[in-house]
Amino acid sequence: MTKFMKTFAKDESGATAIEYGLIAAGISIAIISIIPTIGTNLLAKFTAVSGALE
């Protein structure tokens, strides 16, 4: 039982999955925070083009 606990404590295979999950969450938060800014800028461009066509 002691040998099993030592090998279990040294096993880091799950840490990589957690790290990838944290990276994916960070990228998702960055994308979600940028989308409203892009939408506002895109709306301004379409409004300018629409005004120029009139």
Side-chain angles (χ1 to χ4, degrees):
M1 186 68 171
T2 306
K3 183 179 178 183
F4 172 74
M5 293 303 285
K6 286 181 183 178
T7 56
F8 181 75
K10 290 181 182 179
D11 186 20
E12 295 182 4
S13 62
T16 304
I18 292 171
E19 290 169 356
Y20 284 133
L22 290 173
I23 291 170
I27 291 170
S28 300
I29 290 170
I31 289 172
I32 290 170
S33 65
I34 291 172
I35 286 176
T37 305
I38 292 173
T40 304
N41 292 340
L42 192 59
L43 179 62
K45 294 289 183 187
F46 280 133
T47 304
V49 170
S50 175
L53 292 175
E54 290 180 352

